[in-house]
Amino acid sequence: MTQNRTPKNPTPKNPTPKNPTPENPAPKNLGHLDVLISGASVAGPALALNLVRLGARVTVVEKAPELRGGGFAVDFRGHVHRTVLTSMGIWDEIHARQTHMGRQTVVAADGSPRVDLPAELMSGDVEIFRGDLAQLMFERTEADVEYVFGDSIASLTQDADGVDVTFEQGAPRRFDLVIGADGLHSHTRRLVFGDESRYLRFFDHYVAGFDIPNHLGLDRTGRVHSEPGRAAVIGNYDGDPHRAGALLVFRSEELSYDRRDVTAQKRIVAERFAGFGWEGPALLKALEEADDLYFDAIAQVHVDRLVKGRVALLGDAGYGATMGGMGTGVAVVGAYVLAGELALAGGDHRTAFAEYETRIRDFAKGCQKISGNAGPFLAPPTERRIRNRDRMYRILGSRPLARFFKKMTEKAATGIELREYPY
Ligand SMILES: Cc1cc2nc3c(=O)[nH]c(=O)nc-3n(C[C@H](O)[C@H](O)[C@H](O)COP(=O)(O)OP(=O)(O)OC[C@H]3O[C@@H](n4cnc5c(N)ncnc54)[C@H](O)[C@@H]3O)c2cc1C
């Protein structure tokens, strides 16, 4: 079933100025561009929001039948994120909907505390649920953007003047540009750049996230329990007395499974967590009932090119990193830079895509660099390594080291110089 959300205020066509420069930026000069974005999570709606500000006509196609909820809290940190989100007009709204995660405690199987992790280690300047962020950007764009849910690109054929697109459900259409913002396992990337086995680096762990009743009575705090090769985190981010979020991480060889088959994914997680102590039985019961399961490999995307002709990759599709790689912050900055470069180039995709690729590549790499250890850190492979990890947590929890750790992540999050864009 496809559900079309046609724009209430179609954007008028604007003339393109001849020679826009950074000193003399073009006004809303993308009125001649028809852009198709694949994926409506974070990167897709963020790009849509920036493009419509510049006058472009935007269609977003999303495979899911409706905007997807769920996902853990994501955070923003440093002046680059602040500048981008302020320019996009959503900084205050993110604060209005923010979560407030406090201390996280590593616990033994009987629930007794082993070591505390201070809040500043885990969160950025502001934190919001991924689903709330997606919803917020969707609300801000739905009047101007055509959202098509329950459909997917079937084929893409580029020529000198545009891209012919066929869809699994809808009628074929032609666009000026196509942007793949369809995540770690991007379908657009597979169609245009080749199979994901060339680009996806697997980090020996899987992660599952879902909601769980807040039966531990947590109030903006979290608990972590690790057994060799397995870990469970239960966290209450927003003070809801009834709900908490669960995150299960396990070490594994690479698995082959159907990503559309949620029941099969639940079975995999349940098998891997059989006999897990602490809250194991309650977690498995909540997993069985979950209607918002997020399950994926802990992996990173490394492509040689982010652009090919009139097609570009954005967010996780081009430079994703599951857990800790600030994927959401990089996606939002990438969307801002991509639309901004198109405006500076007066819609000339060759110039704009080349600039986008150059500017975002190193920034994204810097953020990916600090993320590779999430799996072994949460789920060390042996009891001895778990004890070593806890010792390290104790040291990290000391104020000066916490500040150092925070600085390191902030350095990655601010590792890009933003140009003046004509927003
Ligand atoms: C429901 C959900 C829960 C998540 N939870 C977590 C989490 O707990 N921890 C974590 O580290 N990361 C999580 N992520 C990933 C996180 O959102 C991203 O790392 C980051 O925000 C960058 O976002 P993105 O928009 O580039 O990619 P994603 O957020 O992965 O979004 C990709 C979007 O593209 C859509 N899509 C996929 N294939 C197609 C297709 N063929 N056609 C059209 N659309 C398609 C997907 O349904 C999705 O909406 C989650 C993502 C989703 C969608």
Side-chain angles (χ1 to χ4, degrees):
M1 259 298 258
T2 52
Q3 182 198 348
N4 275 47
R5 303 287 296 262
T6 40
K8 289 174 197 137
N9 312 313
T11 318
K13 284 198 172 197
N14 294 335
T16 316
K18 287 235 159 45
N19 295 310
T21 63
E23 295 74 36
N24 182 21
K28 313 265 175 232
N29 65 340
L30 299 183
H32 60 300
L33 277 190
D34 253 321
V35 183
L36 173 66
I37 300 170
S38 174
S41 171
V42 171
L47 180 65
L49 196 159
N50 287 307
L51 283 175
V52 293
R53 291 204 287 158
L54 297 162
R57 279 158 303 168
V58 181
T59 303
V60 180
V61 60
E62 162 62 49
K63 189 175 66 170
E66 58 193 22
L67 200 71
R68 295 175 65 181
F72 254 47
V74 296
D75 56 37
F76 295 104
R77 55 188 79 210
H79 68 270
V80 169
H81 291 171
R82 191 173 57 245
T83 302
V84 167
L85 296 167
T86 303
S87 166
M88 289 169 68
I90 56 174
W91 178 248
D92 290 341
E93 192 63 31
I94 287 175
H95 275 79
R97 300 192 194 191
Q98 73 179 305
T99 60
H100 292 275
M101 187 47 153
R103 191 168 27 93
Q104 302 220 35
T105 305
V106 177
V107 296
D110 63 1
S112 58
R114 280 182 157 177
V115 54
D116 277 345
L117 277 174
E120 66 243 67
L121 262 184
M122 310 306 287
S123 321
D125 302 338
V126 61
E127 192 175 60
I128 179 170
F129 284 120
R130 186 214 63 89
D132 287 349
L133 178 65
Q135 177 66 34
L136 158 59
M137 292 194 291
F138 173 73
E139 283 166 12
R140 285 294 171 94
T141 52
E142 65 176 327
D144 301 308
V145 169
E146 181 187 1
Y147 279 93
V148 181
F149 288 99
D151 206 351
S152 171
I153 296 172
S155 72
L156 293 164
T157 314
Q158 304 193 46
D159 58 44
D161 305 317
V163 192
D164 287 314
V165 182
T166 64
F167 295 92
E168 298 288 348
Q169 308 287 335
R173 287 169 67 176
R174 187 168 168 82
F175 295 89
D176 296 305
L177 304 174
V178 175
I179 311 298
D182 37 13
L184 215 58
H185 306 284
S186 169
H187 180 59
T188 312
R189 190 183 61 220
R190 185 164 49 245
L191 288 174
V192 178
F193 297 79
D195 194 77
E196 75 173 32
S197 57
R198 289 166 59 185
Y199 306 119
L200 211 61
R201 280 192 208 156
F202 175 56
F203 281 71
D204 302 320
H205 291 78
Y206 283 84
V207 55
F210 50 94
D211 271 6
I212 178 170
N214 188 6
H215 66 279
L216 292 179
L218 302 175
D219 183 8
R220 298 183 173 91
T221 53
R223 304 276 184 276
V224 184
H225 176 65
S226 305
E227 293 179 2
R230 305 189 286 185
V233 183
I234 302 180
N236 174 271
Y237 287 79
D238 56 357
D240 182 335
H242 306 295
R243 307 296 303 164
L247 199 69
L248 303 183
V249 172
F250 62 91
R251 188 179 174 81
S252 169
E253 67 291 353
E254 203 161 353
L255 302 171
S256 135
Y257 63 94
D258 182 348
R259 275 202 308 281
R260 285 159 306 183
D261 188 346
V262 178
T263 312
Q265 294 167 25
K266 285 185 176 181
R267 202 178 312 122
I268 292 171
V269 181
E271 278 167 17
R272 299 294 173 136
F273 276 80
F276 189 79
W278 185 49
E279 291 294 322
L283 283 160
L284 290 186
K285 185 162 182 289
L287 170 71
E288 216 177 282
E289 288 158 11
D291 58 8
D292 60 344
L293 178 69
Y294 166 76
F295 177 69
D296 215 325
I298 298 191
Q300 291 188 353
V301 173
H302 293 266
V303 296
D304 0 297
R305 298 299 312 267
L306 285 171
V307 299
K308 197 167 188 179
R310 292 175 169 271
V311 180
L313 300 175
L314 175 71
D316 275 11
Y319 29 82
T322 329
M323 294 185 74
M326 288 180 281
T328 305
V330 185
V332 172
V333 174
Y336 177 83
V337 170
L338 179 53
E341 289 298 337
L342 277 165
L344 282 186
D348 172 11
H349 71 278
R350 281 178 213 85
T351 310
F353 280 8
E355 286 289 345
Y356 159 69
E357 186 173 61
T358 309
R359 285 167 193 285
I360 219 69
R361 187 193 287 276
D362 288 347
F363 172 56
K365 274 212 171 101
C367 294
Q368 283 180 324
K369 239 185 214 158
I370 60 168
S371 82
N373 281 329
F377 209 64
L378 277 170
T382 62
E383 285 289 0
R384 199 168 136 243
R385 294 227 187 140
I386 292 174
R387 282 196 300 276
N388 288 347
R389 190 270 321 260
D390 290 352
R391 223 168 284 137
M392 179 141 83
Y393 269 173
R394 234 165 253 130
I395 300 168
L396 270 177
S398 80
R399 292 260 158 214
L401 268 171
R403 268 203 298 274
F404 169 75
F405 192 76
K406 198 172 174 217
K407 245 191 175 154
M408 227 173 67
T409 46
E410 201 163 300
K411 191 169 167 218
T414 55
I416 183 169
E417 209 163 303
L418 295 173
R419 292 223 273 178
E420 282 280 324
Y421 294 120
Y423 285 115

